[in-house]
């Protein structure tokens, strides 16, 4: 499959809408190009002013296509498909010949992809580990057996050889049902769940019309994947006499590991994460109910308030149960302290 970020420099495509053309621009372009490019890649090109209509950039991916429109798509410079090592600092919690365990900071993408071909955790690992990662689990994802979102912090394990990769991959695929694997997160959410200890069992799949977001699906839907999150409220902020609160610190243990699982599940039960623009944007006005200092802290918090604080797994060579924890990062600790105040 061709990659729009690997086409020759100066390569352009020109497409003209016929009398049957209709629908959103991003969807129409994706279909016209025989899905050679994904819809998200088309949206990225539109955002980068690389799609022209009558010589002027089109900036709205939702724009309706009209018969007779002629679009010119400028394809970016080619990219080397093999990630290169980059001297990016790593917070290493443990390392031996088989695995490396790190505490990932906010803002660090795990592996290269559209819009993030460099500056990723993979680039940092290649620099740190050298050739030992080469070819393990694929060129773009060497050694990666699980991932955290760009703006989620916390503990990750990476395999350093094929045996470790296979062993860890099986543990993550098993979700800890028959292995010691355990993953736990802390998050700050809006409000206070009615049940202080509960389970969200709601299948997840791609959101309609969006390749990057996830949504809850009806059980039995063809695109629905089982998703189970166990949560416990461990602290309430600005709790009222009626047992409501403006925000809560929660602990989440995953029984499955779907993309954006905690973020979607907590939004599904009415308690999205603070700072989550994708799933909690409708709750931003709740900050107006907070004292001034807390209101300011919430409004300037730049990411979803989610931290993977615990990771436990069986060492692929020794069989030893390895347990790692990372405290709340400074930004979440500061946010919680101000909310307490």
């Amino acid at each position: 499959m061709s990659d729009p970020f690997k086409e020759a420099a100066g390569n352009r495509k020109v497409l003209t809408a016929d009398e049957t053309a209709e629908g959103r621009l991003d969807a129409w372009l994706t279909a016209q190009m025989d899905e050679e490019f994904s819809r998200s890649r088309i949206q990225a090109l539109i955002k980068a002013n690389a799609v022209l209509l009558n010589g002027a950039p089109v900036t709205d991916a939702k724009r309706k296509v009209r018969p007779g429109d002629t679009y010119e798509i400028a394809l970016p410079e080619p990219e080397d498909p093999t990630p290169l090592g980059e001297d990016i600092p790593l917070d290493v919690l443990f390392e031996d010949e088989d695995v490396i365990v790190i505490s990932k900071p906010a803002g660090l993408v795990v592996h290269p992809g559209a819009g993030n071909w460099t500056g990723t955790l993979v680039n940092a690992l290649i620099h740190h580990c050298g050739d030992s990662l080469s070819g393990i689990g694929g060129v773009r994802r060497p050694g990666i057996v699980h991932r955290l979102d760009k703006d989620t912090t916390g503990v990750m394990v990476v395999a350093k050889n094929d045996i470790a990769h296979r062993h860890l991959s099986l543990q993550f695929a098993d979700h800890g049902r028959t292995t010691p694997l355990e993953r736990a997160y802390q998050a700050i959410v809006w409000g206070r769940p009615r049940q202080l200890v509960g389970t969200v069992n709601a299948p997840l799949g791609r959101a309609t019309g969006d390749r990057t977001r996830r949504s809850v699906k009806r059980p039995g839907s063809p695109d629905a994947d089982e998703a189970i999150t166990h949560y416990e409220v461990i602290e309430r902020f600005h709790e009222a006499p009626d047992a409501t609160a403006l925000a809560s610190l929660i602990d989440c243990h995953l029984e499955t590991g779907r993309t954006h699982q905690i973020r979607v599940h907590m939004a599904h039960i009415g308690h999205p994460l603070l700072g989550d623009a994708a799933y909690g944007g409708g709750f931003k006005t709740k900050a107006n109910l907070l004292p001034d200092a807390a209101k300011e802290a919430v409004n300037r918090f730049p990411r979803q308030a989610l931290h993977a604080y615990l990771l436990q797994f069986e060492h692929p060579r020794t069989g030893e149960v390895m347990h790692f924890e990372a405290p709340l990062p400074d930004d979440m600790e500061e946010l919680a302290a101000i909310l307490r105040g």
Side-chain angles (χ1 to χ4, degrees):
M1 179 178 292
S2 179
D3 188 326
F5 293 95
K6 296 188 183 61
E7 299 287 346
N11 189 19
R12 293 175 178 269
K13 289 182 180 289
V14 177
L15 297 169
T16 300
D18 62 20
E19 64 275 5
T20 65
E22 61 180 1
R24 288 171 49 133
L25 175 60
D26 55 356
W28 182 81
L29 287 176
T30 303
Q32 293 304 305
M33 300 174 80
D34 296 322
E35 298 189 351
E36 180 182 4
F37 304 153
S38 70
R39 192 163 172 176
S40 62
R41 293 293 179 89
I42 292 293
Q43 291 170 345
L45 290 174
I46 293 172
K47 187 176 181 180
N49 294 327
V51 177
L52 307 180
L53 171 61
N54 300 325
V58 179
T59 58
D60 185 6
K62 300 178 182 178
R63 184 188 190 279
K64 299 297 182 184
V65 175
R66 298 185 179 92
D69 284 350
T70 297
Y71 296 95
E72 183 178 357
I73 306 176
L75 299 172
E77 296 286 342
E79 293 282 351
D80 186 342
T82 304
L84 301 177
E86 298 178 47
D87 189 5
I88 300 170
L90 290 173
D91 183 2
V92 179
L93 305 181
F94 173 84
E95 183 175 9
D96 65 9
E97 61 183 323
D98 299 299
V99 300
I100 179 171
V101 180
I102 62 106
S103 182
K104 188 186 88 66
L108 183 63
V109 174
V110 171
H111 53 76
N116 295 288
W117 296 111
T118 61
T120 71
L121 175 61
V122 163
N123 298 112
L125 288 167
I126 291 172
H127 175 83
H128 180 86
C129 300
D131 294 335
S132 64
L133 289 180
S134 179
I136 302 169
V139 174
R140 294 276 177 82
R141 297 170 54 93
I144 302 299
V145 293
H146 69 125
R147 60 182 290 271
L148 297 175
D149 295 336
K150 173 183 176 181
D151 289 325
T152 297
T153 56
V155 187
M156 287 188 63
V157 60
V158 176
K160 295 178 67 175
N161 55 58
D162 286 319
I163 294 176
H165 188 271
R166 287 195 296 271
H167 196 289
L168 289 171
S169 295
L170 289 172
Q171 290 187 60
F172 278 91
D174 181 66
H175 302 300
R177 293 185 174 96
T178 62
T179 67
L181 182 77
E182 183 179 357
R183 287 172 293 168
Y185 296 69
Q186 287 187 342
I188 302 176
V189 302
W190 285 110
R192 196 209 85 164
R194 182 172 299 177
Q195 292 182 309
L196 296 182
V197 179
T199 297
V200 184
N201 186 345
L204 300 181
R206 290 190 186 277
T208 302
D210 193 322
R211 293 173 61 91
T212 59
R213 296 179 73 250
R214 298 298 186 269
S215 64
V216 169
K217 301 290 183 177
R218 292 182 178 180
S221 297
D223 61 339
D225 293 317
E226 181 187 34
I228 302 172
T229 303
H230 305 285
Y231 74 85
E232 179 179 0
V233 177
I234 55 179
E235 187 173 0
R236 284 95 78 188
F237 304 113
H238 297 276
E239 189 169 28
D242 62 357
T244 61
L246 288 179
S248 301
L249 178 65
I250 64 170
D251 186 292
C252 293
H253 285 246
L254 297 184
E255 193 170 319
T256 56
R258 307 303 177 193
T259 300
H260 298 176
Q261 179 173 316
I262 293 173
R263 298 166 63 187
V264 179
H265 272 175
M266 296 314 298
H268 177 62
I269 65 172
H271 302 284
L273 276 60
L274 269 68
D276 194 340
Y279 302 105
F283 279 68
K284 289 188 68 174
T285 56
K286 282 188 172 290
N288 295 328
L289 302 175
L290 295 167
D292 288 343
K295 175 182 175 181
E296 181 182 352
V298 168
N299 285 336
R300 72 169 182 261
F301 198 75
R303 65 181 184 94
Q304 66 268 5
L306 182 61
H307 174 65
Y309 77 90
L310 181 152
L311 177 64
Q312 178 177 285
F313 59 90
E314 181 182 284
H315 192 281
R317 185 182 299 272
T318 67
E320 179 185 356
V321 175
M322 312 289 288
H323 184 100
F324 300 93
E325 295 191 24
L328 277 180
D330 291 343
D331 61 348
M332 282 185 66
E333 192 63 72
E334 179 184 1
L335 179 62
I338 292 174
L339 287 171
R340 292 184 191 104

